[in-house]
Amino acid sequence: MSNANLNVDGENMEFPIVTGTEGERGIDLGKLRASTGLITLDQGFVNTGSCQSAITFIDGEKGILRYRGYRIEELAAKSSFLEVAYLLIRGELPTQAELDDFRNTITIHTMLHEDFRKFYGGFPKSAHPMAVVAATTSALATFYPDSLNLDAKNEVEICTKRLLAKLPTIAAYAYKHSIGQPFMYPVNEMGYAANFLRMMFATPCEEYEVDPVIAKALDLLLILHADHEQNCSTSTVRMVGSSRANLFASISAGVSALWGPLHGGANQAVIEMLQRIESEGITGKQYLDRVKDKQSGIRLMGFGHRVYKNFDPRARIIKQTCRDVLARLNQQTRLLDLAMELEEVALEDPYFVERRLYPNVDFYSGIIYQAIGIPVDMFTVLFSMGRLPGWIAHWTEMHRDGFRISRPRQIYTGATERSFVPIAER
Ligand code: ACO
């Protein structure tokens, strides 16, 4: 193992360099403060590794994404969402018997306790579904207090299955509540994505015929979102979990982190941006001129990524699926055309080239969701359904490998000590 030397005030210190299986290197500064009194300051954790993990590998320079060693392109072409969930959480691809068993046990947990109806009834119809999903996921802990012991493997296992099984039901109920339609019970013989589509779009008066092409496209989107190593929401799940909070509470925190427009909320922001451009009747180039004007505070949503500085491999796969879905549904392609125009102009523009800004996973996903009939408010909810296995895999890995409570430090910049002034004298 090699070391890094750090010279502080003339004194030389050595810190071990840790090397990952793909050759990534990091300086282990775990003893920095104890030996020097100094901390590292790294706003936004741009250079900070918070853990070692064997789940997902990303090479942002080369546009590589692999789950447990398998390329995302291959998983997208050959696998299914539940198989990928198994891979992420358990570490290996399942045999047919293992996958059947996994699928069956998830399928028998899809129903929500009937008392959840009262719970949903308390939310205003106008509530954002991400708020409803975060609250309902957290509320699972109130309905299943029998499975919250982190040290009991079987209880963590049942929580995992309940979450995977119930999140589509929770999500579809959030939508049904917002439009005042009756909840549709899950049908356990249907596939994961098909069942979700039915719960979203069927009513007791009218069945919804699930188009297998659309169900497949949705399954693919779930696969592409399933994990992305230490992103904001996954780091949140790990951080909350590090206090030994239960899995439901940790996942609920992840849902809340995902809601933000700089993270999972970007796919909603992309559609809103495209609709605005369309309604204003401006060209893609004119919009990009606004984006480049820093005073405007506008960003090209769906562009740029903290890690990918080349291209986001998920965006390429989604772009093709987007074309297929629109063709299948015989739908107008005006938003897709506009998105492609923006992409083309941006990729030639020095502002985006110099900053290495490329389309990310969210640039095209919203167009598919919209074509399928998913309302804009629900886009991020679908992202959370996709990301769930990744969150669970990280939470489980952390508990298996051992951890300390996450507790960053700070450099204090406030007032130095001063005396309290009574209110009458201020
Ligand atoms: N449009 C215009 N300019 C951008 C964009 C964008 N989408 N993204 C980054 N920039 C510019 C910044 O203004 C900055 O310019 P400067 O150097 O002149 O100050 C430079 O590029 C670097 O940007 P940062 O914000 O420092 O990059 P960071 O890694 O912190 O942010 C992020 C990454 C949040 C994804 C950013 O690119 C962004 O806001 N994109 C739009 C939102 C989006 O699509 N989010 C989804 C991300 S993927 C996901 O979460 C699933």
Side-chain angles (χ1 to χ4, degrees):
M1 189 192 287
S2 52
N3 291 321
N5 292 312
L6 181 68
N7 192 296
V8 182
D9 301 331
E11 202 181 324
N12 209 43
M13 262 151 295
E14 285 197 341
F15 295 94
I17 294 182
V18 179
T19 306
T21 49
E22 291 282 351
E24 287 183 311
R25 296 182 348 133
I27 306 171
D28 181 350
L29 293 174
K31 299 214 173 356
L32 178 69
R33 189 168 179 278
S35 49
T36 65
L38 270 68
I39 61 163
T40 56
L41 188 60
D42 181 19
Q43 202 182 21
F45 308 127
V46 179
N47 304 290
T48 298
S50 58
C51 61
Q52 296 190 47
S53 175
I55 301 170
T56 287
F57 173 71
I58 302 175
D59 184 331
E61 305 298 323
K62 297 193 185 128
I64 293 172
L65 169 62
R66 296 188 210 124
Y67 300 159
R68 301 280 188 190
Y70 297 100
R71 286 169 52 233
I72 191 65
E73 291 83 355
E74 208 176 356
L75 292 170
K78 299 178 185 166
S79 191
S80 68
F81 177 63
L82 281 186
E83 189 177 36
V84 165
Y86 184 103
L87 171 70
L88 286 168
I89 296 167
R90 300 267 168 88
E92 295 295 338
L93 285 170
T95 62
Q96 188 62 54
E98 286 167 336
L99 181 59
D100 290 346
D101 182 55
F102 186 66
R103 195 181 284 128
N104 289 343
T105 45
I106 285 171
T107 314
I108 57 168
H109 287 106
T110 51
M111 265 203 306
L112 280 182
H113 193 292
E114 278 299 284
D115 286 349
F116 266 103
R117 287 175 179 273
K118 295 183 207 144
F119 190 70
Y120 275 87
F123 292 121
K125 295 240 175 308
S126 57
H128 193 289
M130 280 301 270
V132 176
V133 170
T136 315
T137 308
S138 189
L140 287 172
T142 68
F143 283 82
Y144 302 107
D146 57 331
S147 59
L148 303 181
N149 180 359
L150 311 187
D151 299 318
K153 204 169 166 240
N154 62 330
E155 294 193 21
V156 172
E157 182 79 16
I158 192 80
C159 274
T160 295
K161 286 178 180 151
R162 280 180 177 144
L163 277 163
L164 286 167
K166 292 182 198 304
L167 193 57
T169 316
I170 288 172
Y173 280 20
Y175 171 58
K176 288 296 197 193
H177 174 70
S178 75
I179 56 169
Q181 284 188 2
F183 298 153
M184 294 300 292
Y185 288 117
V187 173
N188 289 347
E189 69 197 24
M190 295 181 84
Y192 198 82
N195 186 29
F196 171 72
L197 287 168
R198 187 186 163 276
M199 285 191 288
M200 284 284 292
F201 300 122
T203 69
C205 322
E206 209 169 324
E207 220 5 280
Y208 172 81
E209 200 67 39
V210 179
D211 182 334
V213 174
I214 303 305
K216 178 109 189 51
L218 183 56
D219 197 76
L220 172 79
L221 284 168
L222 297 178
I223 293 174
L224 297 181
H225 286 90
D227 192 42
H228 216 234
E229 46 118 308
Q230 310 310 321
N231 57 84
C232 176
S233 56
T234 304
S235 298
T236 302
V237 170
R238 277 188 179 259
M239 182 170 259
V240 174
S242 81
S243 73
R244 285 184 56 83
N246 65 70
L247 186 54
F248 295 134
S250 306
I251 297 298
S252 167
V255 173
S256 297
L258 189 72
W259 189 3
L262 294 188
H263 190 15
N267 50 18
Q268 172 169 349
V270 170
I271 287 292
E272 287 162 357
M273 173 184 79
L274 294 174
Q275 287 170 337
R276 203 163 47 246
I277 296 173
E278 202 197 17
S279 70
E280 287 186 29
I282 56 172
T283 63
K285 179 159 183 333
Q286 283 169 320
Y287 188 77
L288 291 185
D289 287 340
R290 282 188 203 167
V291 169
K292 289 189 288 181
D293 172 9
K294 292 275 182 190
Q295 303 303 321
S296 73
I298 301 174
R299 287 200 164 192
L300 179 57
M301 298 313 286
F303 250 70
H305 198 278
R306 171 61 61 80
V307 180
Y308 293 118
K309 301 299 175 196
N310 182 320
F311 64 88
D312 181 338
R314 303 167 300 174
R316 282 195 175 159
I317 300 168
I318 290 182
K319 189 173 174 182
Q320 184 52 46
T321 309
C322 197
R323 284 202 189 97
D324 298 346
V325 167
L326 292 180
R328 171 74 178 198
L329 295 173
N330 218 0
Q331 284 205 6
Q332 278 191 5
T333 58
R334 50 190 176 72
L335 288 192
L336 175 62
D337 294 341
L338 192 48
M340 289 199 300
E341 181 197 332
L342 278 172
E343 180 187 348
E344 203 178 305
V345 182
L347 293 182
E348 301 270 297
D349 190 302
Y351 175 98
F352 294 90
V353 175
E354 281 158 20
R355 290 171 178 77
R356 303 170 77 190
L357 302 169
Y358 293 84
N360 61 48
V361 67
D362 286 322
F363 196 62
Y364 289 104
S365 62
I367 301 175
I368 303 182
Y369 292 144
Q370 205 188 40
I372 296 175
I374 308 277
V376 173
D377 268 4
M378 286 290 291
F379 289 3
T380 318
V381 173
L382 269 91
F383 191 157
S384 68
M385 277 167 51
R387 186 54 52 89
L388 180 63
W391 289 333
I392 296 173
H394 282 272
W395 189 96
T396 309
E397 177 181 72
M398 187 180 86
H399 284 80
R400 195 200 53 215
D401 292 356
F403 60 94
R404 297 174 75 183
I405 187 166
S406 294
R407 203 307 187 180
R409 295 266 178 178
Q410 63 166 14
I411 299 289
Y412 176 68
T413 59
T416 51
E417 184 174 341
R418 46 186 171 162
S419 296
F420 181 80
V421 181
I423 197 160
E425 295 169 27
R426 280 176 227 158

